[in-house]
Amino acid sequence: MITPVILVESEQITNAQRLITDTMELVCPLDCHSPIIFCHSKFHRAIKKVVEQLNIDATILCAPSERGSAIALTCAAQMSLLQQDKATLAIFHHWQPIADFDAFEHSLCLGAQLTDENYLVTLDNRVNCQFFAQPSQINSWMIDAAQLIDIMNIHFPTTFDNCRKALQSEPLSANSKTLRLASQYFNACPSLIVDNAIFPLVAQRVDIPLTTRWNTFLTDNGLSHQLSSLFNTNKRKSDQGK
């Protein structure tokens, strides 16, 4: 099941309500798990207010500091697998203009199929990049939660263990569904971003262009055909020189 993960970073706090609102508008028509929202603890009150206004059943992870997107997603992936046996993470970390919501939703469904085959999937929203004059790193992407956890556990075992302890040392508030990550463990993590810690370590990566309303389910043969004819291999700056 798709689990939306919304990363609210300091530079995006002014667009947090828009990011959360638009993400929920995208995923509500789909059979998705309740979202996980990751934010700095100093923004918790503002994020909680948005969640209550929108009447969202969300889990809020509050961090005592910022340690980069890879650390945030390691905690989110572990939380998702505490809530369900299998999770496909759909990561939203930047508000984006979307020309066709139906096409985006169909791409999410197709991306979930690909993550089951251990692909890391980027939703190639070119309108988004043109609007903000930013590279593709601001686009949403998807990965299997267990695959992300395996990467962190194998390549960054101490960091992975600190994330686990930070997550499990404090109880989840039943009323607000907020979990404050334990500072003694979370702050021991180095700063890691996905471009250095996740993307280079996934062998199969594709961009799905948001120009077609894909079938929401493709047979294995159909999926293989789409991969070879329409999708592009995802390349990030971190691949250069490898």
Side-chain angles (χ1 to χ4, degrees), residues 7-186:
L7 301 184
V8 181
E9 300 170 320
S10 294
E11 62 268 24
Q12 298 297 330
I13 188 60
T14 55
N15 284 325
Q17 181 166 354
R18 199 172 189 180
L19 171 62
I20 295 170
T21 302
D22 284 3
T23 299
M24 295 313 299
E25 185 176 348
L26 275 171
V27 302
C28 276
L30 307 176
D31 182 21
C32 289
H33 197 272
S34 57
I36 297 172
I37 303 174
F38 190 99
C39 67
H40 193 291
S41 57
K42 65 184 177 183
F43 302 129
H44 173 248
R45 183 175 297 178
I47 299 301
K48 183 181 176 183
K49 184 177 179 180
V50 172
V51 168
E52 290 174 347
Q53 287 174 342
L54 297 174
N55 195 27
I56 299 171
D57 179 24
T59 300
I60 304 174
L61 299 182
C62 289
S65 59
E66 293 191 346
R67 286 293 185 266
S69 52
I71 304 301
L73 288 172
T74 301
C75 294
Q78 292 185 59
M79 173 56 74
S80 72
L81 292 178
L82 290 174
Q83 298 173 334
Q84 54 188 318
D85 293 334
K86 179 174 174 56
T88 294
L89 306 182
I91 296 97
F92 300 87
H93 57 100
H94 198 291
W95 174 80
Q96 56 187 307
I98 297 171
D100 187 335
F101 271 63
D102 285 344
F104 201 104
E105 290 161 6
H106 282 224
S107 294
L108 282 170
C109 292
L110 182 57
Q113 274 190 264
L114 288 166
T115 62
D116 284 343
E117 303 296 327
N118 290 325
Y119 279 89
L120 187 156
V121 178
T122 303
L123 304 177
D124 187 18
N125 186 356
R126 297 184 182 181
V127 173
N128 184 32
C129 300
Q130 292 168 359
F131 184 87
F132 289 103
Q134 293 284 331
S136 61
Q137 278 85 338
I138 66 173
N139 283 330
S140 301
W141 55 284
M142 306 175 73
I143 190 171
D144 181 76
Q147 184 181 20
L148 188 149
I149 284 175
D150 285 345
I151 289 171
M152 293 300 296
N153 193 19
I154 292 170
H155 297 278
F156 309 95
T158 302
T159 298
F160 172 81
D161 195 48
N162 279 325
C163 289
R164 180 186 60 79
K165 290 177 180 176
L167 193 72
Q168 297 180 1
S169 294
E170 300 291 335
L172 181 67
S173 171
N175 293 331
S176 64
K177 294 197 72 175
T178 294
L179 192 147
R180 296 185 180 274
L181 300 169
S183 58
Q184 67 267 38
Y185 299 115
F186 189 84

